[in-house]
């Protein structure tokens, strides 16, 4: 069975991470594990932009041992970008195994506002669940409150809720069934071999 | 909806192609990319693309050169240029050349989502617009103007020439030649066709009423004005105002009309509010306006304002070759309307139609055929179904002038119908006001 692994590179407390894990479990009904693990950020740093290339970090994650093709999601505190865009909150491999979320622009501090740890955690939960959705093949949704709705600014994330709309839930079930069938047939092939 | 939209990214930088492809795939769009113009043109032939993100600077053919080629293949594609800050001027040029928008590198994700959403919205609106226009074309189709004669072909050419412009048109022609039909054809072929064409028969209304009809009135402007009412000028806003029998308006109304034509502003009768309007004027007359100007009954300045592009519609007697065509057209029309199986005109009846002088022109011919359809029996219209016979309608009048002929004919019809004005006007194919004018003009008097 596929499992989800949170690679924490942030200063979130253990309690916060436990809450995050629970939220992910509630949505995906899969085993979720969390561990502290930092990526080699230096490799992804662009001194001109003073930002970190998220695609480079995803490439690093693909090199991590992942025999069972589990879903890996990294949490970082640095500002992420992809070359053509000014910034990204996160990036994921669509139908893939790796994804990343940055808390940099999710924090009120970035916008010169008063620190709000609860808001930061809530936004992180939503964006993490969103990027995991992409790893399961979900695309953006236009349901106003669905977590798969795209967000291009922080307040937009606040409108979303930690839930998948019925359409995205249905798609997720189909995708999970497909991948379960695929892994069963792969196992059978391997045992025959 | 995202699933139906196909986006092509054309950029020589792999990293740009990859990151944008990924970005749009997450949105559920169909996405592909091309690294140069040659590859892009190949992909454009393979499927329908709705949005193209096009880099301005590329080796070989650049974005600016590629843009017209893309629109040659499919003008409905929304092209969004990707440019560096330094090339914003170029992007502005591209907008002028028909690009949807441009975006500077690095792209703000929020801006990009809005741009794409707007492009999709615009595409949907364009589609809706086309559908609505097609529906409107059905509504705005005018009755067919029939004529294969040299003279009518010339008229058709003039209609085509003037329709697309906003020029004021003056239609000259005798009563019943189809001036209103021509006005409608000009309107229907103009850019104003989705707005109304408002007709005012200036000859049919007394001065006070005409003023109120044209300009509208405020509540209490005169006895009986219980409500505010929009005038025809206001109703014609955006469309065409067709002033029929323009030669018959009073000097005061001529002055008011001239002011409106010049300023495109007016006030309602009894009101102070200045109302701005935008309309095109087509007017029609069967009067000798030049003579009216000389005699001082028609303002010279108004005459020059109205007589910008003149179309003379020939009387039916000058285009006899059109008579069989028109007669058969009306025959078919009334045969269908009355569900009566009369489907031809006997050669003898056609001979009479061809020899008759038709002072009431096409309208009289139509009335004659309609009457024949009522009184006649299947399978064909015969001479006895026609309202005139060869001897009285043709030979007798041959040496007379047109005016004498018209006078005699009107007198004849009036006497035959016991001076019943409505019935006589109907047979003559003119309206009652015109008939009254003609009675006055020729000094015809009812026998004591």
């Amino acid at each position: 069975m596929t499992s989800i692994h949170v690679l924490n590179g942030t200063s979130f407390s253990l309690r916060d991470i436990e809450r995050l894990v629970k939220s992910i479990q509630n949505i995906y009904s899969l085993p979720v594990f969390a561990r502290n693990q930092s990526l080699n950020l230096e490799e992804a740093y662009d001194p001109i932009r003073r930002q970190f290339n998220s695609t480079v970090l995803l490439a690093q994650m693909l090199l991590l041992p992942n025999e069972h093709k589990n879903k890996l999601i990294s949490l970082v505190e640095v500002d992420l970008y992809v070359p053509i865009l000014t910034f990204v909150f996160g990036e994921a491999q669509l139908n893939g195994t790796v994804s990343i979320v940055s808390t940099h622009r999710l924090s009120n501090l970035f916008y010169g506002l008063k620190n709000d740890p609860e808001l930061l955690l809530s936004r992180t939960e939503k964006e993490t669940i969103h990027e995991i959705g992409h790893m399961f093949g979900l695309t953006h949704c236009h349901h106003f409150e669905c977590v798969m709705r795209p967000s291009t600014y922080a307040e937009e994330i606040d409108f979303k809720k930690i839930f998948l709309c019925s359409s995205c839930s249905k798609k997720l079930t189909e995708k999970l069934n497909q991948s379960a069938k695929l892994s069963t047939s792969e196992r059978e092939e391997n045992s025959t071999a | 909806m995202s699933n139906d939209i196909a986006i092509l990214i054309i950029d020589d930088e792999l990293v740009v192609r990859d990151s944008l492809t990924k970005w749009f795939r997450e949105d559920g769009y169909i996405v592909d990319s091309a690294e140069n113009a040659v590859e892009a043109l190949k992909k454009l032939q393979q499927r329908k693309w709705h949005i193209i993100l096009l880099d301005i600077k590329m080796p070989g053919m650049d974005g600016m050169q590629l843009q017209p080629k893309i629109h040659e293949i499919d003008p409905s594609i929304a092209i969004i240029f990707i440019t560096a800050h330094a090339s914003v001027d170029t992007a502005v040029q591209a907008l002028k050349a028909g690009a949807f928008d441009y975006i500077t590198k690095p792209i703000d994700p929020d801006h990009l989502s809005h741009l794409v959403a707007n492009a999709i919205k615009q595409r949907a609106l364009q589609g809706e617009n086309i559908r609505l226009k097609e529906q409107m074309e059905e509504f705005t189709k005018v009755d067919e103007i029939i004529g294969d004669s040299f003279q009518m072909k010339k008229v058709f050419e003039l209609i085509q020439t003037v329709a697309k412009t906003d020029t004021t048109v003056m239609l000259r022609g005798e009563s019943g030649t189809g001036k209103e039909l021509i006005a409608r054809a000009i309107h229907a072929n103009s850019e104003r066709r989705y707005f109304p064409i408002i007709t005012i028969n200036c000859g049919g209304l007394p001065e006070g009423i005409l003023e109120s009809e044209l300009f509208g009135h405020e509540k209490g402007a005169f006895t009986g004005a219980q409500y505010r009412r929009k005038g025809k000028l206001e109703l014609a806003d955006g469309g065409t105002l067709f002033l029929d029998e323009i030669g018959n308006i009073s000097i005061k109304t001529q002055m008011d009309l001239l002011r409106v034509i010049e300023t495109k502003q007016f006030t309602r009768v009894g009101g102070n509010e200045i109302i701005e309007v935008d309309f095109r004027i087509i007017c029609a007359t069967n009067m000798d306006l030049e003579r009216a100007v000389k005699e001082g009954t028609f303002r010279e300045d108004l005459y020059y304002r109205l007589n910008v592009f003149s179309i003379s519609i020939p009387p039916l007697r000058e285009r006899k070759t059109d008579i069989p065509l028109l007669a058969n057209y009306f025959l078919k029309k009334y045969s269908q309307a009355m569900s009566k199986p009369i489907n031809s005109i006997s050669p003898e009846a056609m001979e009479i139609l061809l020899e008759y002088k038709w002072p009431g022109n096409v309208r009289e011919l139509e009335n004659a055929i309609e009457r024949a359809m009522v009184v006649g029996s299947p399978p064909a219209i015969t001479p006895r179904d026609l309202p005139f016979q060869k001897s009285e309608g043709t030979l007798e009048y041959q040496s007379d002038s047109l005016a004498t002929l018209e006078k005699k004919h009107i007198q004849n019809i009036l006497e035959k119908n016991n001076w019943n004005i409505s019935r006589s006007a109907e047979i003559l194919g003119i309206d009652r006001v015109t008939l009254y004018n003609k009675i006055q003009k020729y000094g015809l008097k009812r026998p004591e």
Side-chain angles (χ1 to χ4, degrees), chain A residues 20 24 73 75 101 124-132:
Chain A
L20 180 67
I24 300 169
I73 180 149
L75 301 184
V101 168
T124 310
E125 276 178 294
K126 290 172 191 172
E127 284 309 279
T128 306
I129 292 168
H130 179 99
E131 296 303 338
I132 294 171

Side-chain angles (χ1 to χ4, degrees), chain A residues 27-28 129-130 133-134 136-143 145-150 163-176, chain B residues 26:
Chain A
I27 297 290
Y28 293 102
I129 292 168
H130 179 99
H134 285 320
F136 283 110
L138 297 183
T139 53
H140 286 155
C141 171
H142 297 287
H143 187 292
E145 292 183 322
C146 178
V147 80
M148 289 313 293
R149 188 184 157 86
F163 102 113
L164 285 174
C165 68
S166 56
S167 162
C168 289
S169 292
K170 201 176 151 199
K171 275 186 215 160
L172 177 69
T173 312
E174 282 166 15
K175 298 269 181 188
L176 288 173
Chain B
E26 284 181 2

Side-chain angles (χ1 to χ4, degrees), chain B residues 14-31:
Chain B
L14 175 67
V15 72
V16 172
R17 294 200 303 274
D18 278 357
S19 44
L20 286 178
T21 302
K22 201 162 172 297
W23 170 269
F24 288 122
R25 279 214 178 116
E26 284 181 2
D27 268 329
Y29 297 114
I30 299 159
V31 198

Side-chain angles (χ1 to χ4, degrees), chain B residues 326-430:
Chain B
L326 282 159
N328 282 310
Y329 173 76
F330 294 133
L331 174 84
K332 203 174 158 191
K333 177 179 165 183
Y334 288 107
S335 161
Q336 277 173 0
M338 295 175 189
S339 302
K340 208 167 174 180
I342 299 179
N343 45 33
S344 66
I345 299 168
S346 75
E348 299 78 25
M350 188 58 88
E351 197 184 330
I352 292 173
L353 294 178
L354 282 164
E355 283 182 14
Y356 185 63
K357 301 294 178 190
W358 299 109
N361 289 295
V362 182
R363 195 186 292 145
E364 189 185 0
L365 173 61
E366 180 172 2
N367 289 348
I369 299 294
E370 186 183 1
R371 181 186 179 277
M373 291 294 293
V374 173
V375 299
S377 328
I381 290 177
T382 60
R384 67 189 169 87
D385 303 327
L386 297 172
F388 40 78
Q389 300 304 312
K390 193 171 181 174
S391 56
E392 55 178 304
T394 57
L395 301 173
E396 190 193 333
Y397 294 155
Q398 267 180 358
S399 58
D400 289 332
S401 73
L402 180 59
T404 314
L405 192 142
E406 188 177 58
K407 180 185 173 184
K408 279 182 181 174
H409 183 65
I410 291 170
Q411 190 164 23
N412 187 22
I413 296 292
L414 284 166
E415 279 165 13
K416 270 191 173 176
N417 289 285
N418 204 21
W419 275 75
N420 181 322
I421 300 294
S422 298
R423 201 182 311 145
S424 301
E426 195 188 327
I427 291 169
L428 288 168
I430 56 179

Side-chain angles (χ1 to χ4, degrees), chain B residues 26-207:
Chain B
E26 284 181 2
D27 268 329
Y29 297 114
I30 299 159
V31 198
D32 201 353
S33 63
E35 70 169 312
N36 53 42
V38 177
E39 194 187 349
L41 290 169
K42 208 182 278 174
K43 291 202 168 167
L44 277 160
Q45 304 291 352
Q46 288 165 359
R47 62 156 298 142
K48 163 95 187 158
W49 298 98
H50 302 102
I51 298 170
I52 287 184
L53 277 104
L54 177 58
D55 188 19
I56 287 194
K57 283 193 176 171
M58 287 191 296
M61 190 190 293
D62 69 13
M64 292 294 288
Q65 292 168 310
L66 183 56
Q67 180 193 11
K69 293 195 184 297
I70 294 170
H71 276 155
E72 236 169 66
I73 294 168
D74 184 351
S76 72
I77 295 178
I79 299 178
I80 299 171
F81 272 104
I82 307 171
T83 172
H85 276 292
S87 348
V88 167
D89 285 349
T90 327
V92 173
Q93 278 174 31
L95 288 188
K96 284 181 187 162
F100 177 75
D101 214 327
Y102 72 92
I103 197 158
T104 48
K105 285 183 199 174
I107 301 166
D108 176 57
D110 193 36
H111 190 187
L112 182 61
S113 327
H114 279 107
L115 259 189
V116 172
N118 285 344
I120 292 166
K121 211 180 282 172
Q122 199 208 37
R123 197 183 152 267
L125 285 173
Q126 272 173 349
E128 195 178 348
N129 202 9
I130 290 166
R131 276 195 302 280
L132 286 171
K133 276 191 177 174
E134 280 168 0
Q135 284 173 16
M136 286 297 287
E137 299 290 355
E138 285 302 309
F139 288 124
T140 54
K141 267 185 191 163
V142 285
D143 288 346
E144 230 174 315
I145 303 170
I146 309 290
D148 198 31
S149 59
F150 163 76
Q151 294 96 317
M152 283 312 284
K153 280 180 180 163
K154 183 77 194 154
V155 169
F156 296 147
E157 267 175 38
L158 292 171
I159 292 173
Q160 287 304 327
T161 309
V162 80
K164 299 283 179 209
T165 70
D166 228 10
T167 304
T168 301
V169 182
M170 183 176 282
L171 304 173
R172 316 290 290 258
E174 292 176 13
S175 266
T177 43
K179 293 188 288 293
E180 183 164 355
L181 215 55
I182 304 275
R184 288 189 180 279
I186 294 171
H187 174 77
N189 285 288
S190 75
E191 297 298 324
R192 294 176 177 270
R193 63 187 177 278
Y194 303 115
F195 292 89
I197 173 165
I198 302 289
T199 301
I200 301 181
N201 188 340
C202 304
L205 299 165
E207 187 184 319

Side-chain angles (χ1 to χ4, degrees), chain B residues 433-444:
Chain B
V433 178
T434 309
L435 181 55
Y436 274 122
N437 287 341
K438 286 188 188 288
I439 289 169
Q440 208 176 0
K441 180 179 166 189
Y442 295 125
L444 298 175

